[in-house]
Structure formats: C-alpha cells, structure tokens
Amino acid sequence: MSGKRIGIGARPLADPQAETWIRQGAGINNGKVERYSARLTLDVTPALRTRIKLAAFDRGVTMAEMLREVLEQQFPDATV
C-alpha cells in the first residue's frame, strides 16, 4: 500500500443538504473515463468473500460485475 493520503472532508452530521455533499464527488474528473470510477471498500469475512467469488465464477462474471448488479437491484436510480 502506498503512503499517499487523500484528504476526505468531514461528513455533515445533521445537514439537510447531505445528499448534495455526497454527490459533489461524482463531478470530480480524475482522468478516468470508465463508467465505474468510484471506488467502494467493504470489509467482509474471508468465508463470505469465498462464497461471493464462487458464485461469480459459477455465473461466469467477475465479483465486481455481480456485486454491481446486486447493488443496482437494491438501490435503483430514482431519477429513471
């Protein structure tokens, strides 16, 4: 792991504009043109990681593709 630190602003506690604060990072152009350029880190147990990896392999997709699909199903875009 590199020693490079990325500053993250403090999240507003009771700010009614919290969603705006969260979305402001989506407009940052970091040079990536990929559709999925926002990184999400999630700690899971090794056993759960293994189950996810096996399920993805059985379906012929990557873990990332499978988890994106699950997240899209659970959190559909309300603007569509």
Side-chain angles (χ1 to χ4, degrees):
M1 203 169 177
S2 73
K4 184 167 67 168
R5 300 185 123 242
I6 299 172
I8 299 175
R11 182 175 180 152
L13 297 177
D15 186 350
Q17 302 299 323
E19 187 170 336
T20 303
W21 178 83
I22 293 168
R23 291 178 186 266
Q24 78 186 20
I28 297 171
N29 181 359
N30 59 3
K32 292 184 181 179
V33 254
E34 296 179 30
R35 179 175 176 190
Y36 301 110
S37 61
R39 177 129 344 235
L40 176 66
T41 302
L42 179 66
D43 294 323
V44 297
T45 63
L48 177 57
R49 181 184 179 277
T50 299
R51 292 194 310 268
I52 295 168
K53 193 168 187 114
L54 288 171
F57 180 80
D58 288 343
R59 297 173 189 181
V61 297
T62 65
M63 287 176 56
E65 290 169 333
M66 188 177 74
L67 291 173
R68 281 187 203 109
E69 184 179 323
V70 168
L71 291 170
E72 285 287 345
Q73 291 171 358
Q74 289 296 312
F75 305 101
D77 187 355
T79 61
V80 178

mmCIF file of all heavy atoms in Angstrom, residues 29-76:
data_model
loop_
_atom_site.group_PDB
_atom_site.id
_atom_site.type_symbol
_atom_site.label_atom_id
_atom_site.label_comp_id
_atom_site.label_asym_id
_atom_site.label_seq_id
_atom_site.Cartn_x
_atom_site.Cartn_y
_atom_site.Cartn_z
ATOM 1 N N ASN A 29 -13.405 15.152 -12.032
ATOM 2 C CA ASN A 29 -12.799 14.457 -13.155
ATOM 3 C C ASN A 29 -11.382 14.063 -12.757
ATOM 4 O O ASN A 29 -10.502 14.906 -12.665
ATOM 5 C CB ASN A 29 -12.786 15.338 -14.399
ATOM 6 C CG ASN A 29 -12.183 14.634 -15.594
ATOM 7 O OD1 ASN A 29 -11.744 13.479 -15.510
ATOM 8 N ND2 ASN A 29 -12.163 15.302 -16.717
ATOM 9 N N ASN A 30 -11.169 12.785 -12.527
ATOM 10 C CA ASN A 30 -9.835 12.330 -12.128
ATOM 11 C C ASN A 30 -9.097 11.684 -13.296
ATOM 12 O O ASN A 30 -8.140 10.957 -13.096
ATOM 13 C CB ASN A 30 -9.921 11.363 -10.947
ATOM 14 C CG ASN A 30 -10.753 10.132 -11.267
ATOM 15 O OD1 ASN A 30 -11.224 9.974 -12.380
ATOM 16 N ND2 ASN A 30 -10.936 9.270 -10.297
ATOM 17 N N GLY A 31 -9.545 11.959 -14.527
ATOM 18 C CA GLY A 31 -8.865 11.447 -15.700
ATOM 19 C C GLY A 31 -9.375 10.087 -16.158
ATOM 20 O O GLY A 31 -9.000 9.610 -17.209
ATOM 21 N N LYS A 32 -10.220 9.449 -15.383
ATOM 22 C CA LYS A 32 -10.747 8.145 -15.775
ATOM 23 C C LYS A 32 -11.987 8.342 -16.623
ATOM 24 O O LYS A 32 -12.818 9.190 -16.348
ATOM 25 C CB LYS A 32 -11.121 7.317 -14.538
ATOM 26 C CG LYS A 32 -9.938 6.884 -13.724
ATOM 27 C CD LYS A 32 -10.395 5.997 -12.594
ATOM 28 C CE LYS A 32 -9.223 5.564 -11.740
ATOM 29 N NZ LYS A 32 -9.652 4.716 -10.637
ATOM 30 N N VAL A 33 -12.116 7.537 -17.644
ATOM 31 C CA VAL A 33 -13.298 7.604 -18.486
ATOM 32 C C VAL A 33 -14.175 6.381 -18.292
ATOM 33 O O VAL A 33 -15.186 6.253 -18.944
ATOM 34 C CB VAL A 33 -12.926 7.741 -19.983
ATOM 35 C CG1 VAL A 33 -13.161 9.108 -20.498
ATOM 36 C CG2 VAL A 33 -11.549 7.269 -20.276
ATOM 37 N N GLU A 34 -13.788 5.549 -17.389
ATOM 38 C CA GLU A 34 -14.562 4.348 -17.140
ATOM 39 C C GLU A 34 -15.908 4.704 -16.518
ATOM 40 O O GLU A 34 -16.037 5.678 -15.799
ATOM 41 C CB GLU A 34 -13.815 3.418 -16.185
ATOM 42 C CG GLU A 34 -12.517 2.902 -16.729
ATOM 43 C CD GLU A 34 -11.819 2.014 -15.713
ATOM 44 O OE1 GLU A 34 -12.502 1.368 -14.918
ATOM 45 O OE2 GLU A 34 -10.586 2.002 -15.729
ATOM 46 N N ARG A 35 -16.885 3.882 -16.790
ATOM 47 C CA ARG A 35 -18.215 4.091 -16.225
ATOM 48 C C ARG A 35 -18.180 3.928 -14.715
ATOM 49 O O ARG A 35 -18.829 4.655 -13.983
ATOM 50 C CB ARG A 35 -19.191 3.094 -16.844
ATOM 51 C CG ARG A 35 -20.573 3.230 -16.303
ATOM 52 C CD ARG A 35 -21.531 2.322 -16.998
ATOM 53 N NE ARG A 35 -22.828 2.426 -16.360
ATOM 54 C CZ ARG A 35 -23.823 1.629 -16.596
ATOM 55 N NH1 ARG A 35 -23.681 0.659 -17.464
ATOM 56 N NH2 ARG A 35 -24.968 1.765 -15.989
ATOM 57 N N TYR A 36 -17.432 2.960 -14.237
ATOM 58 C CA TYR A 36 -17.374 2.681 -12.806
ATOM 59 C C TYR A 36 -16.051 3.188 -12.256
ATOM 60 O O TYR A 36 -15.086 2.461 -12.144
ATOM 61 C CB TYR A 36 -17.503 1.176 -12.543
ATOM 62 C CG TYR A 36 -18.791 0.606 -13.078
ATOM 63 C CD1 TYR A 36 -18.797 -0.250 -14.164
ATOM 64 C CD2 TYR A 36 -20.003 0.935 -12.494
ATOM 65 C CE1 TYR A 36 -19.972 -0.766 -14.652
ATOM 66 C CE2 TYR A 36 -21.185 0.427 -12.973
ATOM 67 C CZ TYR A 36 -21.163 -0.426 -14.058
ATOM 68 O OH TYR A 36 -22.332 -0.926 -14.539
ATOM 69 N N SER A 37 -16.006 4.470 -11.911
ATOM 70 C CA SER A 37 -14.749 5.027 -11.441
ATOM 71 C C SER A 37 -14.780 5.395 -9.962
ATOM 72 O O SER A 37 -13.787 5.848 -9.429
ATOM 73 C CB SER A 37 -14.370 6.243 -12.276
ATOM 74 O OG SER A 37 -15.360 7.235 -12.145
ATOM 75 N N ALA A 38 -15.925 5.216 -9.305
ATOM 76 C CA ALA A 38 -15.990 5.483 -7.867
ATOM 77 C C ALA A 38 -15.705 4.174 -7.133
ATOM 78 O O ALA A 38 -16.302 3.147 -7.409
ATOM 79 C CB ALA A 38 -17.364 6.013 -7.481
ATOM 80 N N ARG A 39 -14.764 4.215 -6.216
ATOM 81 C CA ARG A 39 -14.339 3.018 -5.506
ATOM 82 C C ARG A 39 -15.095 2.907 -4.190
ATOM 83 O O ARG A 39 -15.287 3.884 -3.488
ATOM 84 C CB ARG A 39 -12.831 3.065 -5.246
ATOM 85 C CG ARG A 39 -12.360 1.892 -4.468
ATOM 86 C CD ARG A 39 -11.192 1.139 -5.012
ATOM 87 N NE ARG A 39 -10.798 1.325 -6.365
ATOM 88 C CZ ARG A 39 -10.688 0.314 -7.208
ATOM 89 N NH1 ARG A 39 -11.004 -0.905 -6.843
ATOM 90 N NH2 ARG A 39 -10.247 0.510 -8.419
ATOM 91 N N LEU A 40 -15.525 1.697 -3.870
ATOM 92 C CA LEU A 40 -16.222 1.407 -2.621
ATOM 93 C C LEU A 40 -15.479 0.275 -1.940
ATOM 94 O O LEU A 40 -15.264 -0.779 -2.537
ATOM 95 C CB LEU A 40 -17.669 0.981 -2.915
ATOM 96 C CG LEU A 40 -18.517 0.546 -1.740
ATOM 97 C CD1 LEU A 40 -18.771 1.722 -0.799
ATOM 98 C CD2 LEU A 40 -19.842 -0.012 -2.234
ATOM 99 N N THR A 41 -15.066 0.490 -0.702
ATOM 100 C CA THR A 41 -14.351 -0.531 0.042
ATOM 101 C C THR A 41 -15.285 -1.107 1.094
ATOM 102 O O THR A 41 -15.932 -0.367 1.825
ATOM 103 C CB THR A 41 -13.102 0.057 0.731
ATOM 104 O OG1 THR A 41 -12.273 0.621 -0.269
ATOM 105 C CG2 THR A 41 -12.340 -1.005 1.492
ATOM 106 N N LEU A 42 -15.333 -2.420 1.154
ATOM 107 C CA LEU A 42 -16.228 -3.105 2.073
ATOM 108 C C LEU A 42 -15.479 -4.254 2.723
ATOM 109 O O LEU A 42 -14.885 -5.080 2.029
ATOM 110 C CB LEU A 42 -17.432 -3.645 1.281
ATOM 111 C CG LEU A 42 -18.487 -4.415 2.026
ATOM 112 C CD1 LEU A 42 -19.211 -3.512 3.012
ATOM 113 C CD2 LEU A 42 -19.473 -5.013 1.048
ATOM 114 N N ASP A 43 -15.488 -4.306 4.038
ATOM 115 C CA ASP A 43 -14.838 -5.402 4.747
ATOM 116 C C ASP A 43 -15.833 -6.541 4.941
ATOM 117 O O ASP A 43 -16.938 -6.316 5.439
ATOM 118 C CB ASP A 43 -14.334 -4.938 6.119
ATOM 119 C CG ASP A 43 -13.221 -3.922 6.002
ATOM 120 O OD1 ASP A 43 -12.393 -4.071 5.085
ATOM 121 O OD2 ASP A 43 -13.175 -3.003 6.821
ATOM 122 N N VAL A 44 -15.458 -7.726 4.501
ATOM 123 C CA VAL A 44 -16.279 -8.920 4.678
ATOM 124 C C VAL A 44 -15.392 -10.020 5.240
ATOM 125 O O VAL A 44 -14.162 -9.939 5.179
ATOM 126 C CB VAL A 44 -16.929 -9.393 3.355
ATOM 127 C CG1 VAL A 44 -17.896 -8.341 2.817
ATOM 128 C CG2 VAL A 44 -15.889 -9.727 2.316
ATOM 129 N N THR A 45 -16.023 -11.050 5.745
ATOM 130 C CA THR A 45 -15.247 -12.172 6.264
ATOM 131 C C THR A 45 -14.633 -12.947 5.103
ATOM 132 O O THR A 45 -15.151 -12.909 3.975
ATOM 133 C CB THR A 45 -16.134 -13.133 7.075
ATOM 134 O OG1 THR A 45 -17.116 -13.694 6.193
ATOM 135 C CG2 THR A 45 -16.818 -12.424 8.236
ATOM 136 N N PRO A 46 -13.547 -13.644 5.344
ATOM 137 C CA PRO A 46 -12.967 -14.467 4.277
ATOM 138 C C PRO A 46 -13.968 -15.491 3.737
ATOM 139 O O PRO A 46 -13.995 -15.764 2.535
ATOM 140 C CB PRO A 46 -11.778 -15.144 4.956
ATOM 141 C CG PRO A 46 -11.381 -14.196 6.046
ATOM 142 C CD PRO A 46 -12.687 -13.617 6.537
ATOM 143 N N ALA A 47 -14.804 -16.026 4.606
ATOM 144 C CA ALA A 47 -15.797 -17.019 4.164
ATOM 145 C C ALA A 47 -16.811 -16.398 3.207
ATOM 146 O O ALA A 47 -17.165 -16.997 2.188
ATOM 147 C CB ALA A 47 -16.502 -17.629 5.376
ATOM 148 N N LEU A 48 -17.275 -15.184 3.523
ATOM 149 C CA LEU A 48 -18.230 -14.511 2.633
ATOM 150 C C LEU A 48 -17.567 -14.165 1.310
ATOM 151 O O LEU A 48 -18.159 -14.346 0.242
ATOM 152 C CB LEU A 48 -18.791 -13.248 3.300
ATOM 153 C CG LEU A 48 -19.747 -12.423 2.442
ATOM 154 C CD1 LEU A 48 -20.939 -13.264 1.972
ATOM 155 C CD2 LEU A 48 -20.219 -11.205 3.222
ATOM 156 N N ARG A 49 -16.331 -13.688 1.354
ATOM 157 C CA ARG A 49 -15.610 -13.385 0.120
ATOM 158 C C ARG A 49 -15.510 -14.624 -0.756
ATOM 159 O O ARG A 49 -15.699 -14.562 -1.980
ATOM 160 C CB ARG A 49 -14.214 -12.853 0.431
ATOM 161 C CG ARG A 49 -13.422 -12.497 -0.822
ATOM 162 C CD ARG A 49 -12.001 -12.072 -0.469
ATOM 163 N NE ARG A 49 -11.243 -11.763 -1.656
ATOM 164 C CZ ARG A 49 -10.618 -12.659 -2.415
ATOM 165 N NH1 ARG A 49 -10.655 -13.941 -2.104
ATOM 166 N NH2 ARG A 49 -9.953 -12.288 -3.484
ATOM 167 N N THR A 50 -15.210 -15.754 -0.155
ATOM 168 C CA THR A 50 -15.116 -17.013 -0.901
ATOM 169 C C THR A 50 -16.450 -17.367 -1.541
ATOM 170 O O THR A 50 -16.507 -17.753 -2.711
ATOM 171 C CB THR A 50 -14.642 -18.154 0.021
ATOM 172 O OG1 THR A 50 -13.350 -17.818 0.529
ATOM 173 C CG2 THR A 50 -14.581 -19.475 -0.714
ATOM 174 N N ARG A 51 -17.548 -17.216 -0.798
ATOM 175 C CA ARG A 51 -18.880 -17.536 -1.347
ATOM 176 C C ARG A 51 -19.218 -16.619 -2.513
ATOM 177 O O ARG A 51 -19.757 -17.065 -3.533
ATOM 178 C CB ARG A 51 -19.944 -17.447 -0.250
ATOM 179 C CG ARG A 51 -19.800 -18.521 0.807
ATOM 180 C CD ARG A 51 -21.023 -18.667 1.694
ATOM 181 N NE ARG A 51 -21.530 -17.441 2.275
ATOM 182 C CZ ARG A 51 -21.180 -16.957 3.478
ATOM 183 N NH1 ARG A 51 -20.281 -17.596 4.214
ATOM 184 N NH2 ARG A 51 -21.729 -15.858 3.939
ATOM 185 N N ILE A 52 -18.889 -15.340 -2.365
ATOM 186 C CA ILE A 52 -19.159 -14.388 -3.452
ATOM 187 C C ILE A 52 -18.321 -14.737 -4.681
ATOM 188 O O ILE A 52 -18.825 -14.768 -5.807
ATOM 189 C CB ILE A 52 -18.866 -12.941 -2.994
ATOM 190 C CG1 ILE A 52 -19.834 -12.518 -1.892
ATOM 191 C CG2 ILE A 52 -18.945 -11.975 -4.174
ATOM 192 C CD1 ILE A 52 -19.443 -11.223 -1.189
ATOM 193 N N LYS A 53 -17.059 -15.020 -4.453
ATOM 194 C CA LYS A 53 -16.152 -15.344 -5.565
ATOM 195 C C LYS A 53 -16.612 -16.613 -6.294
ATOM 196 O O LYS A 53 -16.609 -16.672 -7.532
ATOM 197 C CB LYS A 53 -14.729 -15.506 -5.037
ATOM 198 C CG LYS A 53 -13.689 -15.537 -6.114
ATOM 199 C CD LYS A 53 -12.303 -15.407 -5.525
ATOM 200 C CE LYS A 53 -11.294 -15.262 -6.619
ATOM 201 N NZ LYS A 53 -10.647 -13.978 -6.636
ATOM 202 N N LEU A 54 -17.019 -17.626 -5.545
ATOM 203 C CA LEU A 54 -17.503 -18.869 -6.162
ATOM 204 C C LEU A 54 -18.794 -18.643 -6.946
ATOM 205 O O LEU A 54 -18.962 -19.171 -8.051
ATOM 206 C CB LEU A 54 -17.706 -19.949 -5.103
ATOM 207 C CG LEU A 54 -16.424 -20.544 -4.510
ATOM 208 C CD1 LEU A 54 -16.745 -21.447 -3.322
ATOM 209 C CD2 LEU A 54 -15.643 -21.290 -5.568
ATOM 210 N N ALA A 55 -19.700 -17.843 -6.381
ATOM 211 C CA ALA A 55 -20.956 -17.558 -7.077
ATOM 212 C C ALA A 55 -20.683 -16.804 -8.377
ATOM 213 O O ALA A 55 -21.288 -17.100 -9.414
ATOM 214 C CB ALA A 55 -21.887 -16.752 -6.179
ATOM 215 N N ALA A 56 -19.774 -15.845 -8.333
ATOM 216 C CA ALA A 56 -19.428 -15.100 -9.540
ATOM 217 C C ALA A 56 -18.809 -16.019 -10.589
ATOM 218 O O ALA A 56 -19.147 -15.949 -11.779
ATOM 219 C CB ALA A 56 -18.469 -13.956 -9.196
ATOM 220 N N PHE A 57 -17.910 -16.896 -10.160
ATOM 221 C CA PHE A 57 -17.278 -17.839 -11.080
ATOM 222 C C PHE A 57 -18.334 -18.741 -11.722
ATOM 223 O O PHE A 57 -18.324 -18.955 -12.939
ATOM 224 C CB PHE A 57 -16.239 -18.687 -10.339
ATOM 225 C CG PHE A 57 -15.553 -19.680 -11.226
ATOM 226 C CD1 PHE A 57 -14.514 -19.275 -12.056
ATOM 227 C CD2 PHE A 57 -15.942 -21.003 -11.234
ATOM 228 C CE1 PHE A 57 -13.888 -20.193 -12.884
ATOM 229 C CE2 PHE A 57 -15.320 -21.925 -12.059
ATOM 230 C CZ PHE A 57 -14.291 -21.516 -12.894
ATOM 231 N N ASP A 58 -19.266 -19.258 -10.916
ATOM 232 C CA ASP A 58 -20.324 -20.120 -11.441
ATOM 233 C C ASP A 58 -21.187 -19.403 -12.480
ATOM 234 O O ASP A 58 -21.697 -20.024 -13.404
ATOM 235 C CB ASP A 58 -21.228 -20.624 -10.309
ATOM 236 C CG ASP A 58 -20.544 -21.668 -9.439
ATOM 237 O OD1 ASP A 58 -19.507 -22.245 -9.866
ATOM 238 O OD2 ASP A 58 -21.025 -21.909 -8.309
ATOM 239 N N ARG A 59 -21.369 -18.095 -12.308
ATOM 240 C CA ARG A 59 -22.191 -17.307 -13.234
ATOM 241 C C ARG A 59 -21.392 -16.774 -14.419
ATOM 242 O O ARG A 59 -21.948 -16.152 -15.317
ATOM 243 C CB ARG A 59 -22.833 -16.141 -12.482
ATOM 244 C CG ARG A 59 -23.769 -16.621 -11.405
ATOM 245 C CD ARG A 59 -24.272 -15.490 -10.563
ATOM 246 N NE ARG A 59 -24.992 -16.034 -9.416
ATOM 247 C CZ ARG A 59 -25.575 -15.312 -8.495
ATOM 248 N NH1 ARG A 59 -25.537 -13.996 -8.570
ATOM 249 N NH2 ARG A 59 -26.207 -15.886 -7.488
ATOM 250 N N GLY A 60 -20.088 -16.969 -14.386
ATOM 251 C CA GLY A 60 -19.246 -16.522 -15.491
ATOM 252 C C GLY A 60 -19.029 -15.019 -15.541
ATOM 253 O O GLY A 60 -18.836 -14.454 -16.615
ATOM 254 N N VAL A 61 -19.080 -14.388 -14.377
ATOM 255 C CA VAL A 61 -18.849 -12.942 -14.302
ATOM 256 C C VAL A 61 -17.804 -12.668 -13.221
ATOM 257 O O VAL A 61 -17.454 -13.557 -12.448
ATOM 258 C CB VAL A 61 -20.155 -12.170 -13.968
ATOM 259 C CG1 VAL A 61 -21.183 -12.348 -15.067
ATOM 260 C CG2 VAL A 61 -20.725 -12.592 -12.625
ATOM 261 N N THR A 62 -17.342 -11.427 -13.184
ATOM 262 C CA THR A 62 -16.419 -11.062 -12.123
ATOM 263 C C THR A 62 -17.202 -10.740 -10.857
ATOM 264 O O THR A 62 -18.417 -10.491 -10.904
ATOM 265 C CB THR A 62 -15.581 -9.824 -12.506
ATOM 266 O OG1 THR A 62 -16.466 -8.693 -12.626
ATOM 267 C CG2 THR A 62 -14.817 -10.040 -13.804
ATOM 268 N N MET A 63 -16.490 -10.744 -9.737
ATOM 269 C CA MET A 63 -17.137 -10.363 -8.475
ATOM 270 C C MET A 63 -17.687 -8.941 -8.580
ATOM 271 O O MET A 63 -18.802 -8.667 -8.129
ATOM 272 C CB MET A 63 -16.139 -10.453 -7.315
ATOM 273 C CG MET A 63 -15.799 -11.868 -6.908
ATOM 274 S SD MET A 63 -14.528 -11.950 -5.607
ATOM 275 C CE MET A 63 -15.192 -10.960 -4.309
ATOM 276 N N ALA A 64 -16.918 -8.045 -9.175
ATOM 277 C CA ALA A 64 -17.351 -6.651 -9.296
ATOM 278 C C ALA A 64 -18.637 -6.539 -10.108
ATOM 279 O O ALA A 64 -19.562 -5.819 -9.718
ATOM 280 C CB ALA A 64 -16.245 -5.816 -9.931
ATOM 281 N N GLU A 65 -18.708 -7.259 -11.228
ATOM 282 C CA GLU A 65 -19.921 -7.214 -12.056
ATOM 283 C C GLU A 65 -21.125 -7.730 -11.283
ATOM 284 O O GLU A 65 -22.202 -7.126 -11.314
ATOM 285 C CB GLU A 65 -19.731 -8.054 -13.321
ATOM 286 C CG GLU A 65 -18.750 -7.463 -14.310
ATOM 287 C CD GLU A 65 -18.367 -8.426 -15.415
ATOM 288 O OE1 GLU A 65 -18.409 -9.661 -15.203
ATOM 289 O OE2 GLU A 65 -18.027 -7.940 -16.498
ATOM 290 N N MET A 66 -20.939 -8.836 -10.593
ATOM 291 C CA MET A 66 -22.047 -9.430 -9.846
ATOM 292 C C MET A 66 -22.502 -8.507 -8.716
ATOM 293 O O MET A 66 -23.698 -8.291 -8.518
ATOM 294 C CB MET A 66 -21.646 -10.790 -9.286
ATOM 295 C CG MET A 66 -22.819 -11.539 -8.668
ATOM 296 S SD MET A 66 -22.361 -13.164 -8.076
ATOM 297 C CE MET A 66 -21.445 -12.705 -6.614
ATOM 298 N N LEU A 67 -21.551 -7.928 -7.982
ATOM 299 C CA LEU A 67 -21.911 -7.052 -6.866
ATOM 300 C C LEU A 67 -22.531 -5.753 -7.354
ATOM 301 O O LEU A 67 -23.449 -5.224 -6.713
ATOM 302 C CB LEU A 67 -20.696 -6.799 -5.985
ATOM 303 C CG LEU A 67 -20.225 -8.040 -5.213
ATOM 304 C CD1 LEU A 67 -18.920 -7.760 -4.494
ATOM 305 C CD2 LEU A 67 -21.286 -8.512 -4.239
ATOM 306 N N ARG A 68 -22.082 -5.228 -8.501
ATOM 307 C CA ARG A 68 -22.728 -4.039 -9.070
ATOM 308 C C ARG A 68 -24.190 -4.333 -9.374
ATOM 309 O O ARG A 68 -25.070 -3.505 -9.107
ATOM 310 C CB ARG A 68 -22.025 -3.596 -10.350
ATOM 311 C CG ARG A 68 -20.761 -2.842 -10.118
ATOM 312 C CD ARG A 68 -20.225 -2.281 -11.446
ATOM 313 N NE ARG A 68 -18.806 -2.053 -11.314
ATOM 314 C CZ ARG A 68 -17.865 -2.758 -11.894
ATOM 315 N NH1 ARG A 68 -18.176 -3.743 -12.723
ATOM 316 N NH2 ARG A 68 -16.600 -2.478 -11.691
ATOM 317 N N GLU A 69 -24.455 -5.503 -9.939
ATOM 318 C CA GLU A 69 -25.831 -5.886 -10.262
ATOM 319 C C GLU A 69 -26.685 -5.973 -8.999
ATOM 320 O O GLU A 69 -27.812 -5.478 -8.963
ATOM 321 C CB GLU A 69 -25.842 -7.224 -10.998
ATOM 322 C CG GLU A 69 -27.221 -7.642 -11.450
ATOM 323 C CD GLU A 69 -27.198 -8.963 -12.204
ATOM 324 O OE1 GLU A 69 -26.248 -9.209 -12.964
ATOM 325 O OE2 GLU A 69 -28.145 -9.748 -12.020
ATOM 326 N N VAL A 70 -26.144 -6.597 -7.964
ATOM 327 C CA VAL A 70 -26.868 -6.706 -6.686
ATOM 328 C C VAL A 70 -27.164 -5.314 -6.123
ATOM 329 O O VAL A 70 -28.291 -5.030 -5.690
ATOM 330 C CB VAL A 70 -26.064 -7.547 -5.668
ATOM 331 C CG1 VAL A 70 -26.643 -7.441 -4.268
ATOM 332 C CG2 VAL A 70 -26.009 -9.000 -6.108
ATOM 333 N N LEU A 71 -26.165 -4.441 -6.143
ATOM 334 C CA LEU A 71 -26.358 -3.090 -5.621
ATOM 335 C C LEU A 71 -27.362 -2.305 -6.458
ATOM 336 O O LEU A 71 -28.184 -1.549 -5.921
ATOM 337 C CB LEU A 71 -25.019 -2.356 -5.538
ATOM 338 C CG LEU A 71 -24.061 -2.897 -4.481
ATOM 339 C CD1 LEU A 71 -22.676 -2.268 -4.638
ATOM 340 C CD2 LEU A 71 -24.609 -2.664 -3.083
ATOM 341 N N GLU A 72 -27.316 -2.453 -7.776
ATOM 342 C CA GLU A 72 -28.290 -1.781 -8.646
ATOM 343 C C GLU A 72 -29.718 -2.239 -8.337
ATOM 344 O O GLU A 72 -30.643 -1.445 -8.358
ATOM 345 C CB GLU A 72 -27.977 -2.028 -10.130
ATOM 346 C CG GLU A 72 -26.805 -1.234 -10.637
ATOM 347 C CD GLU A 72 -27.093 0.255 -10.816
ATOM 348 O OE1 GLU A 72 -28.270 0.661 -10.813
ATOM 349 O OE2 GLU A 72 -26.125 0.997 -10.953
ATOM 350 N N GLN A 73 -29.890 -3.523 -8.061
ATOM 351 C CA GLN A 73 -31.210 -4.052 -7.727
ATOM 352 C C GLN A 73 -31.709 -3.499 -6.392
ATOM 353 O O GLN A 73 -32.876 -3.166 -6.247
ATOM 354 C CB GLN A 73 -31.196 -5.571 -7.680
ATOM 355 C CG GLN A 73 -31.017 -6.222 -9.022
ATOM 356 C CD GLN A 73 -30.782 -7.730 -8.922
ATOM 357 O OE1 GLN A 73 -30.712 -8.295 -7.837
ATOM 358 N NE2 GLN A 73 -30.628 -8.363 -10.067
ATOM 359 N N GLN A 74 -30.813 -3.416 -5.428
ATOM 360 C CA GLN A 74 -31.187 -2.953 -4.097
ATOM 361 C C GLN A 74 -31.379 -1.433 -4.026
ATOM 362 O O GLN A 74 -32.152 -0.942 -3.221
ATOM 363 C CB GLN A 74 -30.136 -3.369 -3.068
ATOM 364 C CG GLN A 74 -30.128 -4.865 -2.793
ATOM 365 C CD GLN A 74 -31.442 -5.319 -2.169
ATOM 366 O OE1 GLN A 74 -31.933 -4.716 -1.210
ATOM 367 N NE2 GLN A 74 -32.023 -6.363 -2.716
ATOM 368 N N PHE A 75 -30.641 -0.708 -4.879
ATOM 369 C CA PHE A 75 -30.678 0.748 -4.851
ATOM 370 C C PHE A 75 -30.895 1.288 -6.264
ATOM 371 O O PHE A 75 -29.972 1.864 -6.857
ATOM 372 C CB PHE A 75 -29.360 1.294 -4.262
ATOM 373 C CG PHE A 75 -29.050 0.726 -2.912
ATOM 374 C CD1 PHE A 75 -28.131 -0.297 -2.769
ATOM 375 C CD2 PHE A 75 -29.702 1.197 -1.778
ATOM 376 C CE1 PHE A 75 -27.838 -0.836 -1.529
ATOM 377 C CE2 PHE A 75 -29.418 0.663 -0.529
ATOM 378 C CZ PHE A 75 -28.496 -0.359 -0.402
ATOM 379 N N PRO A 76 -32.107 1.112 -6.810
ATOM 380 C CA PRO A 76 -32.363 1.575 -8.178
ATOM 381 C C PRO A 76 -32.272 3.094 -8.268
ATOM 382 O O PRO A 76 -32.512 3.808 -7.292
ATOM 383 C CB PRO A 76 -33.775 1.068 -8.465
ATOM 384 C CG PRO A 76 -34.389 0.859 -7.134
ATOM 385 C CD PRO A 76 -33.270 0.538 -6.184
#
